[in-house]
Amino acid sequence: NMDHPLDVGIVFNGLSHSDNKCGHRLLLSPLTKYLDGTHSSKRGSTCPVCQTPIVLVTDGAASATTVDSNTKNTVFFKYGKQFFRLTVASSSDSQWFWLFSQKPFAQQRIAKVFQMKGLKILCKGKVVYPDPTRTQAQVSQRLLDISAADQSTKASLVVMGTRVGQELQERAVGLFSYLFHTMFHIVFGSLQWVYQLVFRPALPPPPTPTHQD
């Protein structure tokens, strides 16, 4: 819905908003699918409207977030080749809180936007989510703190996971590979059996070596 700022994705061709040459507004969820090739064999890397290279995507609420403004309620991370800044509602932020059907945790916001299962978040190579030693609220706050520290520099957080729908493709590829190898072994074994049964008996015996005294 283009009327809801959290459903809108705004495209930037750099991490700095001041020198942005794009700024087109698109639906956020379809945009993420376009970027990672969910419905295509090729990943998108440029704005579908003006073909400007996409470096950063923010939601409508985070689009006004700059280094000098309040970044405590945004999570900043890299997914694929692009950077993302998403707004995370808080219980005191009444204008966005009602849009969430679940508790407003940063990791849930990411999983919801990308429709992702098996979400994993890394910070400088170390897994910070899932973290069995912390509560969901503690993990969320840690992600927000890391994001606020990064500000407009390159994100320390990296998001990984399988999107809903892609796991079916992965299973299909695995099944095809299994069937291919099974048929290969059946055909190869059959050819060996035919060779041993039909062709090998018809071949002349090898010459017997002679010994000279």
Side-chain angles (χ1 to χ4, degrees):
N1 189 336
M2 292 293 284
D3 294 330
H4 290 165
L6 298 183
D7 293 336
V8 175
I10 301 180
V11 175
F12 296 86
N13 68 320
L15 295 179
S16 174
H17 295 201
S18 58
D19 58 356
N20 183 49
K21 298 179 181 178
C22 183
H24 285 105
R25 299 168 62 89
L26 306 163
L27 284 173
L28 183 56
S29 182
L31 176 60
T32 62
K33 294 176 181 179
Y34 161 75
L35 290 174
D36 71 7
T38 299
H39 296 314
S40 174
S41 59
K42 184 178 180 181
R43 292 174 180 263
S45 60
T46 60
C47 173
V49 179
C50 65
Q51 306 305 312
T52 300
I54 298 176
V55 176
L56 171 68
V57 176
T58 75
D59 61 35
S63 62
T65 301
T66 63
V67 178
D68 299 325
S69 63
N70 184 8
T71 60
K72 67 179 182 179
N73 288 333
T74 62
V75 58
F76 181 45
F77 59 92
K78 186 176 184 181
Y79 175 69
K81 295 183 179 181
Q82 281 78 34
F83 295 92
F84 293 83
R85 188 182 293 280
L86 303 178
T87 302
V88 181
S90 64
S91 56
S92 60
D93 192 358
S94 58
Q95 62 176 332
W96 307 126
F97 181 69
W98 65 275
L99 293 175
F100 285 82
S101 59
Q102 297 180 331
K103 292 182 179 180
F105 297 140
Q107 59 272 27
Q108 290 179 340
R109 171 67 170 147
I110 295 171
K112 182 179 180 180
V113 168
F114 289 91
Q115 300 178 352
M116 190 173 289
K117 290 184 177 180
L119 173 65
K120 182 181 291 186
I121 305 176
L122 287 73
C123 178
K124 298 179 180 179
K126 296 182 179 180
V127 177
V128 293
Y129 179 79
D131 184 350
T133 66
R134 298 172 185 262
T135 66
Q136 292 279 8
Q138 289 173 336
V139 170
S140 179
Q141 189 58 53
R142 185 182 184 188
L143 297 178
L144 295 175
D145 290 342
I146 293 172
S147 299
D150 285 340
Q151 297 186 26
S152 66
T153 61
K154 289 187 177 181
S156 300
L157 298 176
V158 176
V159 167
M160 303 173 66
T162 300
R163 300 192 64 158
V164 174
Q166 286 187 331
E167 71 275 13
L168 299 178
Q169 298 176 11
E170 293 172 359
R171 290 177 185 175
V173 171
L175 178 61
F176 175 80
S177 178
Y178 169 78
L179 292 175
F180 174 80
H181 284 90
T182 300
M183 291 301 299
F184 174 81
H185 288 295
I186 291 175
V187 172
F188 184 74
S190 300
L191 291 175
Q192 283 188 315
W193 180 80
V194 171
Y195 172 78
Q196 294 289 342
L197 185 66
V198 178
F199 293 100
R200 188 168 184 179
L203 296 176
T208 304
T210 58
H211 298 279
Q212 294 181 355
D213 295 333

